[in-house]
Amino acid sequence: MFQYKEIQRTPLEKLGKLGLIKYLTQCISVTHHTTVKGIGDDAAVMRFANKQVVVSTDMLLEGIHFNLAYTPLIHLGYKAITINLSDIYAMNATPNQIIVSVAVSNRFPVEALKTFYEGMMRACKNYNVDLVGGDTSSSNTGLVISVTAIGQADEKDIVYRKGAQVNDLLVVSGDLGGAYLGLQVLERENEVFKVNPNMQPDLVGYEYLIERQLKPEARKDIPELLKELGIKPSAMIDISNGLASEILHLCDQSQLGCRLFEEKIPLDPQVLTTAEMFRINPIIAALNGGEDYELLFTVPLAYHEQIKGHRQLSLIGHMTTKEKGAQLVSQSDSLIPLTAQDWDTFLKKNPTS
């Protein structure tokens, strides 16, 4: 997690739009040979030669996707970048550039936006991408962030959501449910603060979960790992809306069904203990919680031995014919139809069963 300090408060109107853009972008430089022209003109210019260009965009809205009561701006800037880069890695591509647009109200001082940009630039440096443009505007409805990520890949390397075959193995990186449980901890402490602003937040023992929520990392290491193993996934997607939703996307795009084994879903010990405390089924949190930004993919059965037992990867099921449907195999061997809970409904009601 980042350390941050108290900042001064310079009103936005003191700089104006052009002055603000110059202030926020004066330290930005480009490093990629594919970046011909970055910030400073009417449009960015990029050169990709014979590569396929991959583009993804996301929006983050205050009050919908984040709460500034417990989200430091430096973490929000970092997260805004990483969650977009995750989509590029999910295509088995390499991100090179990002474009960022921000709408902000005058309740934010210049220094606050500078802190937000510092978080973005730390992510850019960590993932080796260039910030090449964007826009700033005023907002009457809170902070609005739009990020577009641009990447490249050889045509033969790109992996889509479709492409899985019957009997392909279903594999996921990392562990699941942590971001959602981290959100529960932060929301709990925010409610305590509302009642008693003098109370210090109780975050000890939840560090991993909170970092999963506030400062997620894109899994750039997984495409690199698979390349080292000589494996190209047959289909792939990142887990932004929960494991169940993303599996159903793969099934729909590949016109297949699946068997997902409950006992194989990877859960961190902090997820298990915190879920018990909140009386939340940790499997439901993993299936529907979202924001884990791990990679979910399928590989042919022939790669079983290379995947099995790898500490970064978990075999959680396999693909079946479409007629068999998408099914969760419970620990008692019961078949349960796999469904994805709508994300906004999920935010309004905790999963408890």
Side-chain angles (χ1 to χ4, degrees):
M1 303 282 278
F2 297 131
Q3 298 295 320
Y4 57 97
K5 58 185 178 180
E6 194 68 27
I7 59 177
Q8 297 177 333
R9 296 183 63 86
T10 303
L12 294 178
E13 57 264 26
K14 185 173 182 178
L15 294 184
K17 179 176 179 178
L18 294 180
L20 179 63
I21 293 172
K22 184 176 180 179
Y23 174 76
L24 294 175
T25 61
Q26 59 186 337
C27 296
I28 295 175
S29 60
V30 299
T31 60
H32 279 278
H33 71 277
T34 54
T35 305
V36 179
K37 177 62 178 179
I39 292 172
D41 216 309
D42 291 311
V45 180
M46 288 157 279
R47 180 191 300 113
F48 289 96
N50 297 321
K51 299 282 187 177
Q52 296 282 304
V53 178
V54 181
V55 181
S56 179
T57 190
D58 273 306
M59 291 188 71
L60 294 173
L61 285 74
E62 183 180 354
I64 301 295
H65 300 103
F66 60 89
N67 185 339
L68 289 177
Y70 51 74
T71 307
L73 285 169
I74 192 169
H75 290 80
L76 180 61
Y78 192 92
K79 181 176 181 176
I81 301 305
T82 59
I83 65 176
N84 278 270
L85 300 185
S86 181
D87 288 328
I88 304 299
Y89 293 123
M91 301 294 294
N92 206 35
T94 301
N96 299 122
Q97 290 88 14
I98 59 163
I99 297 172
V100 179
S101 294
V102 178
V104 62
S105 70
N106 59 10
R107 69 184 172 93
F108 291 90
V110 170
E111 291 80 7
L113 291 183
K114 185 67 172 179
T115 301
F116 172 74
Y117 267 73
E118 181 183 346
M120 289 199 299
M121 295 318 299
R122 290 193 187 189
C124 289
K125 182 177 180 181
N126 189 29
Y127 291 91
N128 189 27
V129 297
D130 293 336
L131 198 167
V132 297
D135 191 21
T136 58
S137 180
S138 60
S139 169
N140 293 323
T141 57
L143 180 60
V144 179
I145 306 160
S146 176
V147 180
T148 298
I150 303 165
Q152 64 174 331
D154 290 333
E155 184 176 1
K156 63 180 177 58
D157 292 330
I158 292 179
V159 178
Y160 299 93
R161 294 179 180 181
K162 64 179 182 179
Q165 302 294 318
V166 173
N167 294 326
D168 276 3
L169 302 173
L170 194 58
V171 186
V172 69
S173 67
D175 55 79
L176 305 173
Y180 179 74
L181 269 301
L183 178 62
Q184 301 314 297
V185 173
L186 291 167
E187 287 284 358
R188 180 193 67 184
E189 296 306 307
N190 188 42
E191 291 304 313
V192 171
F193 176 79
K194 290 178 182 177
V195 175
N196 185 357
N198 294 319
M199 286 286 291
Q200 293 296 310
D202 179 15
L203 304 179
V204 177
Y206 306 113
E207 292 84 358
Y208 176 69
L209 305 182
I210 292 169
E211 184 158 355
R212 293 284 279 177
Q213 171 59 220
L214 295 182
K215 186 178 169 287
E217 299 288 354
R219 295 307 304 261
K220 64 178 291 186
D221 58 317
I222 298 304
E224 294 170 354
L225 169 64
L226 294 175
K227 187 175 182 179
E228 290 175 4
L229 295 174
I231 299 173
K232 179 186 175 183
S234 49
M236 188 156 58
I237 190 172
D238 78 324
I239 301 179
S240 55
N241 296 318
L243 178 62
S245 174
E246 314 307 0
I247 288 178
L248 291 174
H249 279 308
L250 293 186
C251 289
D252 177 66
Q253 292 290 308
S254 297
Q255 293 295 293
L256 295 175
C258 74
R259 292 292 184 271
L260 169 65
F261 293 89
E262 177 185 351
E263 64 181 2
K264 300 294 186 181
I265 297 175
L267 303 170
D268 185 85
Q270 276 193 24
V271 168
L272 296 173
T273 57
T274 307
E276 182 179 7
M277 182 189 68
F278 280 101
R279 298 183 179 179
I280 294 173
N281 184 331
I283 294 298
I284 300 299
L287 289 174
N288 292 312
E291 291 203 295
D292 288 308
Y293 298 105
E294 297 292 344
L295 292 181
L296 172 73
F297 56 94
T298 58
V299 297
L301 185 60
Y303 294 115
H304 179 270
E305 291 305 312
Q306 291 163 270
I307 297 290
K308 182 182 178 182
H310 197 287
R311 63 185 182 87
Q312 292 289 339
L313 305 173
S314 297
L315 288 168
I316 58 174
H318 61 269
M319 307 304 287
T320 65
T321 61
K322 183 178 181 179
E323 291 69 29
K324 292 183 177 180
Q327 305 282 346
L328 174 70
V329 183
S330 72
Q331 295 191 33
S332 61
D333 287 332
S334 299
L335 290 180
I336 304 170
L338 192 63
T339 59
Q341 192 166 343
D342 187 65
W343 74 271
D344 56 356
T345 303
F346 185 75
L347 289 176
K348 297 173 185 175
K349 181 179 179 181
N350 289 340
T352 56
S353 61

